[in-house]
Amino acid sequence: MLRKPRIERFNESVLSRYQTYNSIFITLPFDEITNTGVMLPLFKETCEKGYDENKNPEQIVDTFFEKYMDKPSDEERMSLLFRFIQYIERQVVLFDAIEDAAFPIVNNMNGRGTLRNVKEEAEERSKTEELKAFLDHFKVRTVLTAHPTQFYPGSVLGIITDLAEAISKNDLVLIKKLLAQLGKTPFFKKEKPTPFDEAVSLIWYLENVFYDTISRIYDYIQANIYDGKSMNNQILNLGFWPGGDRDGNPFVTTEITLKVADRLRSTILKNYYRDVRKLRRRITFKIVDKLITDLEGKLYENIFLESGRTTITAEESLSTLVQIREILETKHQSLFVEEVNDLINKIHLFGFYFASLDIRQDSRVHSNVLENIVKESHEMGLDMFPKDYEKLSEKEQISVLGKVTGKVNPGLFKHEMARVTLESIYAIKTIQKNNGEQGCNRYIISNNGSVLNVMEAFAMIRMCDWEQPDLDVIPLFETVDDLQVAHKVMETLYTNESYATHLARRGNKQTIMLGFSDGTKDGGYLMANWSIFKAKEELTKISRKYGVKVIFFDGRGGPPARGGGKTHQFYASLGPTIEHEEIQLTIQGQTISSNFGTQDSCQYNLEQLLSSGVVNGIYANKSLALNKEDRETMNKLAEISYDAYVDFKNHPKFLPYLEKMSTLKYYAKTNIGSRPSKRGKSDKLVFSDLRAIPFVGSWSQLKQNVPGFFGVGLAIEEFKKNGEIDKVKSLYKNSTFFKTLLENSMMSLTKSFFKLTAYMQDDKEFGEFWKLIHTEYERSKDMILEVTGYSQLMEDTRSMRASIQVRENIVLPLLTIQQYALLEIQKMELSKKIDPERKEILENMVTRSLFGNINASRNSA
């Protein structure tokens, strides 16, 4: 029987199910929200009709109350709007659960980009041995970050999981109970989470999703590609930022870092303990029964031991399991060997650390810290730095920093940041002792723009009784300017005697992180992506010249504006001029729950990442390398869009518009992340202080998605005006990289809805600015459609487009309520007749509306 097209599978398994279960949900009797379910469809219909008639959100809300309620009081109006918000939040959860349940039906789990497909294609092309050789070295590292874009508390995540399972079994009784539970479960927190709370939330995914999924993928590769033979390479591993990411988060302390490392260790031991208990029920033979019982006891004991008082290591556990396997093979006809192998593989994959905890800090903090260390070390009579260090040239300072070693006591320093920075380095050594080296062996320097930035961090590490650190120093190049000098920075480091010696000890491998978030905020969509591509090419070239294997770590967020979008297509499109031995990327917020939230979606997306590496590594098509004309076209497009974006960013209304017309200032009130929503302590809004997530998220809440398209239309139109549109079409046809860029931009455009804010075009202060954005939206849409030849956006991914349309449709009333509240606040402030109590209610309404909108978008910040 022929498999139905993906869009049909989506309509049958997702859309029709949502309509059925939503009709059940809105008729459930909840406490204090009687009739809300009946009123919401009427309000939604009023919104749709209102926007068709070009009404603004205030007129739409007023029309609804005039038509369906008999002169309600302001209190009754507000109460109903808040109840609508509650309902819509839960409708989004219902849709999430239905999509999760239908994931293996809508997506072909054995189709293109899956491991089975990779294996079969290698066999057909007689490249199985080449595939094995590639997998001996290739790795995918997904790094979970605590950036605040995930609004679901743990209790709701649990309901989504249970609901998805009940929906897949069509268990109507349980579905009704879970929907009722959903209706009564709170969706937001009254207090900000600590970094430890964030870590615990993300460890839920490690324990319940990644643990089994990664080992299942690894087992499949071992059995089907390596014919059951042992593999030395992990192939897949996990990174972790909560508790280690200090950049701009004063709440991440050394104590928190150590506590998170302990939690990771105890969680993986719990998982091993559960597996060993299951094994013990099967392995009941002489000798092996005692071995497995002893292992079970030691694992249980170590789950609860204080840090540093461990009685068993990962190596000892592996040794016991290998011994058990040998006995089963030689004396018991290999009975239950597969189950033992599975646990051996898990310990090989996760050790006693589960996920590698990365430490990250800003280069500007390091510079300030080192300045104080130099000053105080002189006062203490230490001779680590020359007396005139501050007066030395940058080159001379780099030379000094390369020779610094010592054993400083952090407690002796008065400067608080100097003390905690040095303590964090000693904490890395503690974690390595307790969890193994992979537990914490990377130090990331954000906002890195120079050799000095790297050497300052390197010197601080070596002065903490660590002359030969088992630690990788990773510069993060973020802005367009930093990306342009990255290869020069690295060449100087490769030729620095001290740093080169360190690299040689670390196997001549250098990880370099490249950030999308601030790059896009700084230089716009096309320039940020193109700058990263070119930086990777230059860094690959310079690293190969010095015999260093460079590994790129991408700071990819959820939306296209922050490097997200079709990730596997992005990696498959890089071509031969960029080093590709490993894929490393950050996964955050709703992207974790949407792409890796269930075992099916996690397996599918990890396999897609693996296959994109294989495609780029084994079947690398030399035609992926841009020819001279296409490169010139791409360069020119990036430059034109960059100029357009910079002009836009420098517009006198840019920051005031975000501050007064968007939800930017409300992000801090959501209590979803431990990190402050902006850098700096000034009350005045400064562009450089803006964090990428609230910045991108605020455009998303306005349904304008500026960072994902602004400048694209202007750049293509320039070519068209000059009669050179064919050059852009040629680039699109020849370059998978450019094609992926435009497809991801189409996603940003598809999620835009300018009718929501069309009222702003009549605003005295911001009318012209709104029109400027809307014009570029229309231009970008028209130009992209012309280049691609599509009749509508996302024409080639109809099921994804359909999913976006359903989600946007669900939250349309929510967006309307949000804009209504913002309009009411603006009117109040303009008239200077402020009712503090009503204003507070309206501000709460704006804040509450953020939750459902972000969750529905899945990759909006």
Side-chain angles (χ1 to χ4, degrees):
M1 186 173 148
L2 287 171
R3 191 175 172 86
K4 290 180 181 177
R6 192 167 174 169
I7 185 65
E8 283 186 34
R9 302 198 301 271
F10 174 84
N11 288 337
E12 286 176 10
S13 301
V14 179
L15 189 56
S16 61
R17 272 182 171 178
Y18 173 72
Q19 288 162 348
T20 301
Y21 294 133
N22 186 47
S23 64
I24 295 168
F25 178 58
I26 61 174
T27 55
L28 288 173
F30 296 126
D31 297 342
E32 299 174 9
I33 49 175
T34 316
N35 295 328
T36 309
V38 177
M39 300 294 275
L40 181 56
L42 298 173
F43 180 58
K44 187 172 170 230
E45 188 185 335
T46 307
C47 291
E48 289 168 353
K49 195 175 176 186
Y51 290 119
D52 285 344
E53 294 170 357
N54 298 316
K55 288 183 178 177
N56 69 37
E58 187 182 28
Q59 292 167 330
I60 289 168
V61 171
D62 287 344
T63 300
F64 168 76
F65 282 118
E66 283 165 16
K67 190 171 181 181
Y68 296 107
M69 290 184 77
D70 185 21
K71 295 179 182 174
S73 67
D74 192 56
E75 189 181 337
E76 287 171 326
R77 285 166 62 114
M78 293 295 157
S79 177
L80 184 60
L81 292 177
F82 270 112
R83 296 203 302 269
F84 283 163
I85 291 171
Q86 283 180 283
Y87 247 96
I88 296 162
E89 285 171 342
R90 286 153 179 79
Q91 285 179 313
V92 173
V93 170
L94 175 60
F95 190 75
D96 278 349
I98 290 167
E99 276 209 313
D100 285 347
F103 191 91
I105 300 166
V106 175
N107 297 280
N108 186 350
M109 300 298 283
N110 291 311
R112 189 153 189 79
T114 64
L115 276 176
R116 181 172 169 179
N117 174 253
V118 165
K119 171 187 167 284
E120 289 173 355
E121 192 168 351
E123 287 170 350
E124 282 171 23
R125 297 194 188 193
S126 302
K127 284 184 178 277
T128 302
E129 290 307 312
E130 208 174 321
L131 175 61
K132 282 186 202 172
F134 181 73
L135 291 176
D136 281 341
H137 302 284
F138 179 68
K139 265 190 189 139
V140 169
R141 178 190 287 237
T142 49
V143 180
L144 307 191
T145 78
H147 291 350
T149 58
Q150 174 54 265
F151 287 74
Y152 290 143
S155 53
V156 176
L157 286 172
I159 295 171
I160 293 175
T161 303
D162 295 341
L163 195 52
E165 194 176 330
I167 288 166
S168 64
K169 292 175 182 173
N170 208 23
D171 186 342
L172 199 55
V173 174
L174 182 56
I175 289 166
K176 286 183 87 167
K177 281 184 179 178
L178 289 168
L179 289 174
Q181 180 190 356
L182 190 63
K184 293 169 179 280
T185 303
F187 264 55
F188 64 99
K189 299 167 185 173
K190 291 182 180 175
E191 293 178 359
K192 251 178 136 49
T194 67
F196 183 71
D197 295 332
E198 290 173 330
V200 169
S201 296
L202 287 189
I203 287 170
W204 184 92
Y205 290 100
L206 298 184
E207 186 175 8
N208 294 285
V209 181
F210 284 94
Y211 178 72
D212 285 317
T213 305
I214 286 180
S215 65
R216 188 162 60 243
I217 292 171
Y218 192 84
D219 289 351
Y220 178 90
I221 293 170
Q222 187 179 53
N224 295 283
I225 296 173
Y226 282 81
D227 301 319
K229 290 171 188 158
S230 295
M231 299 184 292
N232 293 321
N233 184 25
Q234 286 175 305
I235 299 179
L236 289 162
N237 60 25
L238 296 164
F240 203 74
W241 274 17
D245 184 7
R246 293 163 175 267
D247 181 11
N249 194 338
F251 308 111
V252 176
T253 62
T254 303
E255 184 188 2
I256 291 272
T257 302
L258 291 169
K259 201 175 165 188
V260 168
D262 282 347
R263 182 62 172 250
L264 285 164
R265 186 176 191 280
S266 66
T267 305
I268 192 62
L269 290 179
K270 275 184 208 166
N271 281 28
Y272 294 156
Y273 172 71
R274 287 191 202 108
D275 282 356
V276 167
R277 283 199 70 179
K278 288 177 196 167
L279 261 180
R280 193 165 67 85
R281 289 171 65 94
R282 299 286 169 262
I283 300 173
T284 50
F285 325 128
K286 282 182 183 178
I287 303 173
V288 284
D289 60 342
K290 186 176 185 315
L291 287 170
I292 199 78
T293 303
D294 287 349
L295 180 58
E296 180 192 6
K298 282 183 179 176
L299 287 170
Y300 183 79
E301 182 182 273
N302 277 264
I303 290 167
F304 305 104
L305 278 180
E306 286 178 27
S307 175
R309 291 182 54 222
T310 54
T311 60
I312 189 171
T313 64
E315 290 72 29
E316 288 166 351
S317 304
L318 273 174
S319 176
T320 300
L321 287 166
V322 168
Q323 191 181 350
I324 289 168
R325 181 174 66 187
E326 285 171 0
I327 294 170
L328 292 176
E329 285 172 344
T330 55
K331 297 188 177 177
H332 300 287
Q333 294 79 47
S334 296
L335 206 53
F336 303 120
V337 158
E338 281 184 10
E339 288 84 346
V340 175
N341 262 335
D342 178 58
L343 188 50
I344 287 171
N345 286 344
K346 282 171 177 168
I347 296 176
H348 176 58
L349 287 164
F350 307 116
F352 272 20
Y353 59 91
F354 213 159
S356 300
L357 188 62
D358 288 346
I359 306 296
R360 182 172 79 131
Q361 185 55 283
D362 193 292
S363 64
R364 292 164 292 193
V365 171
H366 289 150
S367 296
N368 180 251
V369 162
L370 195 80
E371 188 183 315
N372 281 277
I373 287 174
V374 171
K375 183 183 162 200
E376 289 195 46
S377 67
H378 289 156
E379 290 169 4
M380 288 186 268
L382 302 175
D383 61 354
M384 287 188 299
F385 297 92
K387 296 289 183 190
D388 61 345
Y389 176 80
E390 295 92 338
K391 295 174 184 174
L392 298 176
S393 66
E394 187 170 311
K395 190 175 179 182
E396 289 169 328
Q397 285 184 342
I398 289 166
S399 177
V400 169
L401 291 169
K403 293 165 190 165
V404 171
T405 57
K407 186 180 179 179
V408 297
N409 179 352
L412 296 175
F413 290 90
K414 297 172 200 159
H415 187 258
E416 187 187 358
M417 190 53 81
R419 191 169 61 251
V420 299
T421 301
L422 294 174
E423 281 174 356
S424 72
I425 295 164
Y426 279 104
I428 297 171
K429 296 178 78 173
T430 303
I431 295 166
Q432 289 194 2
K433 184 185 167 193
N434 296 335
N435 296 16
E437 194 216 293
Q438 278 189 271
C440 187
N441 63 358
R442 312 198 320 168
Y443 196 105
I444 300 164
I445 309 157
S446 49
N447 264 299
N448 196 100
S450 69
V451 177
L452 191 63
N453 291 158
V454 176
M455 293 306 290
E456 283 173 341
F458 184 57
M460 284 188 282
I461 291 164
R462 282 165 35 106
M463 70 174 72
C464 292
D465 193 23
W466 219 357
E467 191 172 339
Q468 296 186 348
D470 302 315
L471 186 68
D472 295 324
V473 181
I474 302 175
L476 163 51
F477 299 99
E478 299 187 67
T479 67
V480 171
D481 288 344
D482 289 347
L483 288 162
Q484 286 172 350
V485 299
H487 65 289
K488 292 177 183 173
V489 169
M490 295 316 298
E491 181 166 27
T492 307
L493 286 168
Y494 293 157
T495 54
N496 178 283
E497 187 181 345
S498 176
Y499 193 80
T501 303
H502 165 71
L503 266 188
R505 273 201 338 275
R506 301 293 292 164
N508 271 325
K509 280 191 172 185
Q510 173 67 57
T511 303
I512 297 171
M513 190 173 179
L514 302 157
F516 283 82
S517 307
D518 282 313
T520 308
K521 181 168 78 78
D522 175 55
Y525 180 70
L526 281 184
M527 180 57 92
N529 281 278
W530 180 234
S531 295
I532 288 168
F533 186 93
K534 287 197 297 182
K536 283 184 176 179
E537 287 188 319
E538 292 295 332
L539 287 163
T540 297
K541 199 186 295 179
I542 210 72
S543 299
R544 286 172 179 170
K545 177 183 172 182
Y546 290 97
V548 174
K549 180 68 73 174
V550 68
I551 295 158
F552 295 116
F553 177 21
D554 292 312
R556 292 176 70 81
R562 298 187 64 239
K566 298 175 180 179
T567 301
H568 59 281
Q569 282 182 228
F570 168 80
Y571 284 110
S573 73
L574 295 178
T577 56
I578 291 173
E579 201 68 77
H580 52 256
E581 190 165 284
E582 290 193 26
I583 287 174
Q584 296 191 6
L585 70 161
T586 56
I587 311 286
Q588 66 199 43
Q590 336 89 298
T591 314
I592 298 172
S593 55
S594 61
N595 290 358
F596 301 91
T598 67
Q599 291 193 12
D600 284 328
S601 63
C602 186
Q603 179 177 333
Y604 182 82
N605 284 300
L606 285 175
E607 287 190 15
Q608 292 289 322
L609 280 171
L610 275 169
S611 73
S612 67
V614 169
V615 166
N616 206 29
I618 297 179
Y619 310 123
N621 191 339
K622 287 185 181 174
S623 66
L624 281 175
L626 291 168
N627 63 42
K628 190 183 174 188
E629 187 180 26
D630 285 342
R631 184 173 283 274
E632 283 172 4
T633 302
M634 188 69 232
N635 255 326
K636 195 173 175 186
L637 284 168
E639 283 165 12
I640 297 166
S641 72
Y642 177 69
D643 290 342
Y645 180 79
V646 170
D647 286 346
F648 174 64
K649 192 176 69 173
N650 291 336
H651 193 289
K653 295 300 177 190
F654 183 89
L655 284 177
Y657 182 80
L658 273 178
E659 196 167 19
K660 293 180 185 177
M661 307 302 275
S662 83
T663 58
L664 183 69
K665 63 187 176 189
Y666 296 93
Y667 264 79
K669 299 178 182 180
T670 55
N671 291 331
I672 52 156
S674 67
R675 208 161 71 156
S677 59
K678 71 181 188 71
R679 299 179 179 93
K681 295 176 182 175
S682 169
D683 289 336
K684 190 181 175 186
L685 188 62
V686 180
F687 185 78
S688 59
D689 286 348
L690 278 177
R691 290 203 176 281
I693 286 168
F695 174 73
V696 173
S698 296
W699 290 112
S700 170
Q701 294 283 329
L702 284 168
K703 288 294 153 192
Q704 293 176 2
N705 292 324
V706 161
F709 68 79
F710 200 93
V712 176
L714 269 159
I716 299 172
E717 189 182 63
E718 185 75 18
F719 273 79
K720 186 177 181 180
K721 282 178 182 173
N722 295 332
E724 296 179 323
I725 190 81
D726 285 345
K727 287 185 178 180
V728 185
K729 289 180 180 178
S730 169
L731 175 65
Y732 178 77
K733 184 184 172 187
N734 297 339
S735 168
T736 317
F737 170 74
F738 183 62
K739 188 175 184 182
T740 305
L741 279 190
L742 289 197
E743 286 179 354
N744 284 338
S745 192
M746 278 193 267
M747 190 188 296
S748 292
L749 291 162
T750 303
K751 290 183 179 182
S752 298
F753 180 62
F754 276 81
K755 284 189 176 184
L756 178 73
T757 56
Y759 69 89
M760 292 182 188
Q761 65 190 306
D762 299 320
D763 186 272
K764 284 181 183 175
E765 185 179 359
F766 297 110
E768 291 308 310
F769 190 73
W770 184 92
K771 287 175 189 172
L772 174 71
I773 298 167
H774 181 246
T775 301
E776 180 57 7
Y777 160 78
E778 292 289 352
R779 179 166 35 225
S780 294
K781 189 170 73 170
D782 291 346
M783 290 296 99
I784 288 175
L785 288 176
E786 185 167 343
V787 168
T788 58
Y790 292 167
S791 57
Q792 61 176 352
L793 296 171
M794 298 182 72
E795 193 175 286
D796 67 330
T797 47
R798 290 165 65 203
S799 64
M800 193 185 293
R801 179 185 167 88
S803 174
I804 289 169
Q805 286 173 333
V806 175
R807 288 173 176 279
E808 296 298 322
N809 193 254
I810 291 169
V811 295
L812 183 65
L814 195 59
L815 291 161
T816 305
I817 293 167
Q818 183 186 91
Q819 284 298 319
Y820 165 76
L822 286 168
L823 269 165
E824 290 292 295
I825 293 166
Q826 286 163 18
K827 271 172 61 182
M828 205 183 284
E829 289 173 344
L830 204 63
S831 68
K832 295 184 179 168
K833 293 176 184 174
I834 293 173
D835 176 346
E837 193 178 328
R838 189 167 192 272
K839 188 181 181 189
E840 187 181 352
I841 290 168
L842 289 164
E843 286 180 337
N844 285 339
M845 190 173 280
V846 175
T847 305
R848 279 298 310 280
S849 65
L850 292 171
F851 292 65
N853 287 332
I854 285 283
N855 286 329
S857 293
R858 285 209 152 182
N859 67 352
S860 60

